[in-house]
């Protein structure tokens, strides 16, 4: 007759007692334990690993956020800011557009990814871009093709003036330093500012009823800018 | 030293601690052996008692010193298991010598908590309250574990 499980367990208990007694009697002497710990039910290895991983993620995330803040916050950043820069050579002084182009005057000495840093906040639906850098790298003119026009950056609106202002601009064009040209198939005027010899103005009649003006400050050769403007083509 | 509920009390003197150890050692060792095996359980019990001697002042202020020592023993057993990946099965083999390797295998397949309860209650005659006190759990939890353990053992032993 097969004994019940309870009886088998009772026999198992007796065997365990006997084996334990033998082990205790015969076990070799061992050095006293030096790290008798208090209960560590809350510190299982798996929990320690999980908590360590969480702590690492929090620390790395915090460092990343701090670095990002330091690099981008206007109060601590050493980089020029579109919204706050008021230096003589502003990052962007004016933007010209007819719905297909945006012309942006950039500060000198920017590498391409820095140019994109200035351009991207300004331009939505960017599809194509030409960037022209002057021979002395002191000024750049970026022409960006757009499918749509959204200019919502505060303090950076394109200067679009009524067509009647063309006459006003043409008075500047009467000066010896002005140049008439065709910009993307539309008449435009490139001129200097009388009291600022190093500044250039590109006035562009993008539509019959609107004129866009690009002002660039810096020692930029008028003929070079004209060549750039003449080389522009509308995207097909 | 043992109150009406089977709880072992601990006084503040060295003599009281020795009486406490005499009263609690066997059940503590049985519980740890049932959970971790003969070798690791015995070593863990010795470690727990040694810790209790060093900290007898703190232990005397505890409501359930035997339960606390069991948890100290659990920590010590985990330390042993981490250090000694290969366990000496000599004592275990001796225990298997006489009979019932199928019961040993079935017990090994149980979760540690259920195995401990089954061995303590049916192997050593502990009451539910004694198991609950020693392992720091409720009587209902002990009863549930025992029910599940016995169901599993029947399934394994009677089907084969």
């Amino acid at each position: 007759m097969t004994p019940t499980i309870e009886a088998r367990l009772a026999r198992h208990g007796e065997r365990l007692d006997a084996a334990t007694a033998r082990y205790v009697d015969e076990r070799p002497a061992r050095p006293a334990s030096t790290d008798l710990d208090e209960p560590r039910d809350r510190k299982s290895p798996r929990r320690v690993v999980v908590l360590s991983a969480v702590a690492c993620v929090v620390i790395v995330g915090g460092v990343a956020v701090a670095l990002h803040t330091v690099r981008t916050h206007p109060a601590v950043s050493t980089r020029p800011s579109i919204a706050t820069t008021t230096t003589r050579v502003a990052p962007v002084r004016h933007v010209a557009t007819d719905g297909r182009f945006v012309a942006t005057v950039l500060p000198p000495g920017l590498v391409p990814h820095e140019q994109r840093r200035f351009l991207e906040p300004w331009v939505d639906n960017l599809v194509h871009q030409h960037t022209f850098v002057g021979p002395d790298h002191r000024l750049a003119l970026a022409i960006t093709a757009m499918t749509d026009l959204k200019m919502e950056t505060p303090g950076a609106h394109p200067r679009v003036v009524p067509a009647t202002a063309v006459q006003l601009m043409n008075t500047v064009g009467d000066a010896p330093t002005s140049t008439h040209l065709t910009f993307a198939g539309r008449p435009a005027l490139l001129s200097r500012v009388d009291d600022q010899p190093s500044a250039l103005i590109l006035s562009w009649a993008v539509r019959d009823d609107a004129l866009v003006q690009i002002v660039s400050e810096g020692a930029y050769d008028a003929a070079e800018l004209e060549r750039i403007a003449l080389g522009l083509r509308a995207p097909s | 030293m043992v109150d009406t509920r089977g709880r072992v009390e601990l006084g503040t003197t060295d003599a009281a601690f020795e009486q406490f150890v005499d009263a609690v050692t066997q059940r503590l060792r049985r519980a740890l052996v049932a959970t971790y095996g003969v070798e690791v359980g015995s070593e863990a019990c010795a470690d727990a008692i040694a810790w209790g001697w060093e900290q007898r002042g703190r232990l005397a202020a505890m409501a359930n010193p035997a339960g606390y020592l069991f948890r100290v023993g659990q920590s010590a057993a985990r330390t042993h298991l981490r250090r000694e990946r290969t366990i000496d099965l000599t004592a275990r083999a001796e225990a298997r010598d006489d009979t019932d390797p199928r019961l040993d295998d079935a017990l090994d397949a149980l979760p540690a908590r259920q195995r401990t309860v089954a061995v303590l209650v049916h192997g050593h005659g502990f009451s539910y309250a004694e198991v609950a006190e020693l392992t720091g759990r409720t009587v209902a939890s002990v009863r549930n574990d025992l029910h599940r353990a016995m169901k599993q053992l029947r399934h394994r032993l009677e089907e084969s």
Side-chain angles (χ1 to χ4, degrees), chain B residues 56-122:
Chain B
R56 55 191 179 281
R58 283 178 58 192
L59 209 57
M62 294 179 183
N64 182 9
Y68 197 82
L69 283 187
F70 178 74
R71 289 159 58 200
V72 172
Q74 285 183 309
S75 296
R78 290 193 201 102
T79 303
H80 281 291
L81 291 173
R82 277 199 298 273
R83 287 178 181 167
E84 302 164 15
R85 295 291 181 187
T86 56
I87 302 172
D88 179 9
L89 297 176
T90 306
R92 183 183 182 81
E94 286 179 355
R96 290 185 172 192
D97 247 358
D98 30 12
T99 50
D100 228 348
R102 284 175 49 213
L103 176 64
D104 290 343
D105 292 341
L107 285 170
D108 284 346
L110 291 178
R113 267 177 36 166
Q114 294 181 17
R115 180 173 64 248
T116 302
V117 171
V119 172
L120 290 181
V121 171
H122 290 304

Side-chain angles (χ1 to χ4, degrees), chain A:
Chain A
M1 180 179 175
T2 305
T4 64
I5 294 176
E6 287 80 359
R8 293 164 77 175
L9 282 171
R11 179 72 185 126
H12 178 78
E14 293 171 7
R15 289 201 314 275
L16 279 182
D17 276 349
T20 302
R22 279 197 299 274
Y23 177 80
V24 171
D25 288 343
E26 299 169 2
R27 70 178 170 184
R30 66 182 178 90
S33 179
T34 55
D35 61 343
L36 298 178
D37 303 318
E38 291 199 48
R40 290 185 295 186
D41 293 346
R42 297 183 180 279
K43 293 181 181 177
S44 66
R46 179 183 299 177
R47 187 166 304 185
V48 169
V49 169
V50 171
L51 291 177
S52 300
V54 170
C56 286
V57 169
V58 169
I59 291 171
V60 171
V63 170
V65 170
L67 287 177
H68 178 75
T69 302
V70 168
R71 294 178 63 179
T72 59
H73 196 281
V76 294
S77 175
T78 58
R79 299 292 304 275
S81 165
I82 292 174
T84 60
T85 297
T86 56
T87 57
R88 182 171 175 274
V89 181
V92 178
R93 290 300 302 270
H94 293 284
V95 175
T97 181
D98 66 346
R100 293 178 300 161
F101 292 100
V102 171
T104 307
V105 179
L106 300 175
L110 297 181
V111 296
H113 81 269
E114 292 173 318
Q115 294 172 350
R116 291 187 62 81
R117 176 170 172 261
F118 282 110
L119 290 173
E120 285 176 354
W122 288 62
V123 179
D124 290 326
N125 301 318
L126 182 150
V127 294
H128 194 61
Q129 176 179 314
H130 300 278
T131 302
F132 304 95
V133 181
D136 57 0
H137 293 271
R138 293 181 59 187
L139 197 65
L141 177 66
I143 310 295
T144 303
M146 297 175 61
T147 58
D148 192 11
L149 174 63
K150 288 184 180 177
M151 287 295 162
E152 298 176 350
T153 307
H157 300 292
R159 183 173 178 181
V160 180
V161 297
T164 54
V166 173
Q167 286 303 116
L168 176 63
M169 300 307 299
N170 279 335
T171 61
V172 180
D174 291 336
T177 54
S178 66
T179 303
H180 289 275
L181 48 85
T182 301
F183 194 12
R186 305 290 299 179
L189 175 68
L190 185 67
S191 59
R192 292 187 184 280
V193 180
D194 289 342
D195 58 349
Q196 296 183 45
S198 64
L200 292 175
I201 297 176
L202 176 65
S203 302
W204 181 24
V206 293
R207 292 193 298 267
D208 290 337
D209 60 346
L211 176 72
V212 170
Q213 187 179 48
I214 304 173
V215 177
S216 66
E217 288 184 282
Y220 207 95
D221 181 70
E224 177 69 10
L225 191 54
E226 179 183 1
R227 187 186 66 75
I228 292 170
L230 287 173
L232 291 175
R233 295 290 180 273
S236 58

